[in-house]
Amino acid sequence: MRDHRFKSYDPDQLLLLPPDLRSWLPENHLAWFVSDMVDGLDLSRIEGHYDHLKGGKPGFHPSMMVKVLIYAYCVGVPSSRQIEKKTYEDVAFRVLAAGYHPDHSAIAKFRKRHLRELSELFIAVLLLADEMGLVKLGHVALDGTKLKANASKHKSMSYGRMDRRIWELKAEVDELLKTAASTDKVEDKKYGKANRGDELPRELQFREDRIAKIQSAKAALEERKRQEVSQPRSVDEDDGPPTADAGGKSAPTLVPHAKEQINFTDPESRIMKDNATKSFEQAYNAQLAVDCATQIIVSADVTQQANDKQQLVPLMEQIEANTGQVPDRALADSGYFSAENVQSCDNNYIEPFICRDRIKHSDTLLTAPKGRIPKALSSVERMCRKLQTKAGRKTYSKRKESVEAVIGQIKHVRGFRQFLLRGLEKVRAEWHLICLAHNVLKMWRSGRSLPALA
């Protein structure tokens, strides 16, 4: 008998949800925006990977997989296992997957196979945002954030420790071989010489493998040092005192410093200090430039350098490459300051607002002298004087409410604090996916319609 106090409830009902997918979610739901957007993107390069296939079991449609992946990054679910679970439990995922349930290995394989093409969609989505009027480029703010690598810092070893550890392991190998030889003699007398006895003991094989790994890591550190020495050194970088050559002139050494480390799990990651937690982590330095008016990310990159000084020019060049335009003003904190960076902005008709010194909240800000800025001042002096004015401070304050806010949304709201992939190129592609998802969310929340798509 039905209880009129409540709505009818029958768990055994054959059709609990209506068959029309469009009625499963509200019309303005993010899933529909992602679906419509991907339908208009050119996925021919991804689809081209399957042209050679003939017969066999058909795979999942690339359009469906791309929609599911982008939506997953939008809602902070990058794990392939979690995505598979969501296709069963989350209505939006079920709608985008159209009732299919690709397992986590298929999702991970698709992402790995098409990582480059998925990364390049960042620019395609950015151009859509531009067509929607969300790329202003009046003020662009830059910042970097340390994101943990998919590796433990405890799996690292310093260059100075490597030789010592190789010697220790070789001594252990010699001891194991002596023990094995002694055991063989005893067993030969007891059982005869019929057994082969040439199999490596497990502990001996482990140490041999460990020696090979450390020697390989040692060679990688030495190659990294050679590459660093071959690159021009910035006067702003402080990598320690240079080594003097026979003529008394400063010459860089090809031998890595004893404390320089390499990670066995992800050798391309680096030990970096996280300014938020003040702890040292195995990490990458993720860079981004954000349009201050809309919080749209207009350029993004990942570097192994903990210092931000060398990242301003590449980010500015990437903005022009991505959008065909240059911003009017560039805002950045003291980590990006150098005379070369200020001059580069001036040369490209970009007004720089780069803080020269790190400013604490308790510091008393200097007031700019009254009157016009003298023409005889250098580019750096003019910029610093401009930053002391009320108008300059107001302009610079846009950095905190734009790029710092975006980093907070990525790391704290959507939970992207660690990369899933390993290696610089793969990590860079994953960062582009994360930034793409951020832009999709900004486009959807703007309430504007997608442009007419081909």
Side-chain angles (χ1 to χ4, degrees):
M1 183 177 178
R2 182 180 177 183
D3 191 329
H4 293 284
R5 295 175 301 168
F6 310 112
K7 294 182 179 181
S8 60
Y9 172 65
D10 184 4
D12 298 322
Q13 183 176 330
L14 292 178
L15 189 61
L16 187 60
L17 294 172
D20 181 10
L21 293 181
R22 282 281 169 183
S23 61
W24 289 19
L25 295 169
E27 290 183 3
N28 61 345
H29 196 277
L30 172 62
W32 299 130
F33 186 88
V34 170
S35 180
D36 293 342
M37 183 193 71
V38 173
D39 283 342
L41 295 177
D42 181 6
L43 303 182
S44 59
R45 291 188 60 190
I46 295 178
E47 293 171 358
H49 284 268
Y50 303 91
D51 288 346
H52 67 285
L53 298 179
K54 296 179 180 179
K57 186 178 179 181
F60 295 110
H61 199 287
S63 180
M64 182 269 282
M65 297 293 280
V66 172
K67 289 177 184 180
V68 169
L69 270 174
I70 290 180
Y71 183 78
Y73 275 91
C74 284
V75 296
V77 185
S79 164
S80 57
R81 283 179 167 81
Q82 287 297 316
I83 294 173
E84 178 188 355
K85 186 179 179 182
K86 290 288 186 181
T87 63
Y88 288 96
E89 299 177 352
D90 189 291
V91 173
F93 278 90
R94 294 194 68 163
V95 166
L96 290 174
Y100 290 110
H101 306 286
D103 61 44
H104 63 274
S105 59
I107 295 169
K109 184 178 179 180
F110 181 88
R111 176 167 47 194
K112 182 179 180 181
R113 183 178 187 182
H114 306 296
L115 193 59
R116 182 186 296 273
E117 290 80 9
L118 290 169
S119 170
E120 290 170 354
L121 291 179
F122 169 76
I123 298 177
V125 172
L126 178 59
L127 293 177
L128 283 179
D130 191 12
E131 288 188 55
M132 293 170 66
L134 296 175
V135 178
K136 309 294 186 182
L137 295 183
H139 298 77
V140 167
L142 289 69
D143 207 353
T145 184
K146 308 302 189 296
L147 280 182
K148 290 182 181 179
N150 188 1
S152 170
K153 63 182 178 182
H154 301 296
K155 295 293 184 181
S156 297
M157 185 176 288
S158 66
Y159 186 78
R161 169 77 172 137
M162 286 178 180
D163 281 334
R164 187 164 68 253
R165 186 57 184 146
I166 289 173
W167 181 86
E168 291 170 352
L169 286 168
K170 285 183 175 179
E172 291 173 13
V173 168
D174 290 341
E175 188 61 34
L176 283 168
L177 288 173
K178 289 178 183 178
T179 302
S182 177
T183 302
D184 285 344
K185 288 182 180 179
V186 173
E187 291 181 347
D188 284 347
K189 289 181 180 180
K190 188 174 182 179
Y191 303 110
K193 298 184 178 182
N195 294 326
R196 285 169 52 209
D198 59 354
E199 299 86 355
L200 279 175
R202 184 178 178 183
E203 56 273 0
L204 182 58
Q205 183 65 55
F206 169 79
R207 283 162 177 77
E208 292 281 10
D209 291 344
R210 189 67 175 161
I211 289 172
K213 285 183 180 179
I214 295 175
Q215 288 175 331
S216 176
K218 185 170 179 281
L221 261 180
E222 291 167 351
E223 176 60 27
R224 182 200 299 176
K225 189 65 178 180
R226 280 192 290 270
Q227 291 179 359
E228 288 176 357
V229 169
S230 66
Q231 295 173 354
R233 175 173 170 153
S234 170
V235 296
D236 295 300
E237 290 183 283
D238 183 14
D239 296 325
T243 303
D245 61 13
K249 297 180 181 180
S250 295
T253 176
L254 291 174
V255 180
H257 191 276
K259 292 184 179 180
E260 287 188 51
Q261 295 187 348
I262 194 168
N263 189 272
F264 292 103
T265 308
D266 185 356
E268 296 186 43
S269 62
R270 301 287 185 266
I271 291 288
M272 297 183 183
K273 185 177 181 180
D274 188 330
N275 292 328
T277 62
K278 306 303 179 185
S279 62
F280 288 90
E281 303 290 348
Q282 200 72 34
Y284 287 95
N285 187 356
Q287 296 283 317
L288 69 169
V290 172
D291 191 307
C292 294
T294 58
Q295 292 190 353
I296 290 285
I297 299 172
V298 290
S299 67
D301 201 3
V302 174
T303 178
Q304 298 164 309
Q305 298 174 328
N307 193 297
D308 293 332
K309 279 185 174 60
Q310 305 302 317
Q311 311 315 317
L312 185 140
V313 172
L315 284 174
M316 291 291 106
E317 291 175 346
Q318 193 185 124
I319 292 173
E320 185 173 7
N322 291 346
T323 67
Q325 308 171 61
V326 293
D328 295 330
R329 299 177 180 87
L331 322 178
D333 63 20
S334 59
Y336 292 86
F337 176 80
S338 72
E340 292 87 348
N341 285 343
V342 174
Q343 191 62 52
S344 175
C345 287
D346 278 348
N347 292 344
N348 288 280
Y349 306 101
I350 302 170
E351 191 175 4
F353 288 83
I354 309 170
C355 186
R356 181 166 61 178
D357 303 307
R358 191 178 182 87
I359 299 175
K360 299 179 181 179
H361 292 291
S362 57
D363 291 345
T364 301
L365 298 177
L366 298 175
T367 304
K370 294 182 179 180
R372 293 183 178 181
I373 298 177
K375 293 182 179 180
L377 296 182
S378 67
S379 297
V380 171
E381 290 170 333
R382 284 200 307 273
M383 182 194 72
C384 291
R385 177 156 171 172
K386 199 182 306 175
L387 280 167
Q388 293 174 2
T389 65
K390 288 183 178 180
R393 290 174 190 170
K394 185 177 180 180
T395 297
Y396 184 73
S397 68
K398 295 178 184 292
R399 188 189 66 85
K400 181 176 289 188
E401 63 195 40
S402 56
V403 68
E404 288 190 8
V406 168
I407 290 174
Q409 292 160 23
I410 289 173
K411 296 182 75 171
H412 302 294
V413 177
R414 292 189 284 283
F416 292 112
R417 293 193 178 99
Q418 178 172 331
F419 289 112
L420 291 175
L421 306 179
R422 293 169 180 162
L424 181 60
E425 288 306 311
K426 291 181 180 179
V427 161
R428 183 175 284 136
E430 186 178 4
W431 181 237
H432 282 150
L433 261 178
I434 292 169
C435 293
L436 179 157
H438 171 86
N439 284 350
V440 170
L441 281 168
K442 292 299 175 184
M443 292 159 66
W444 171 62
R445 286 174 178 154
S446 73
R448 304 185 186 190
S449 300
L450 283 165
L453 301 171

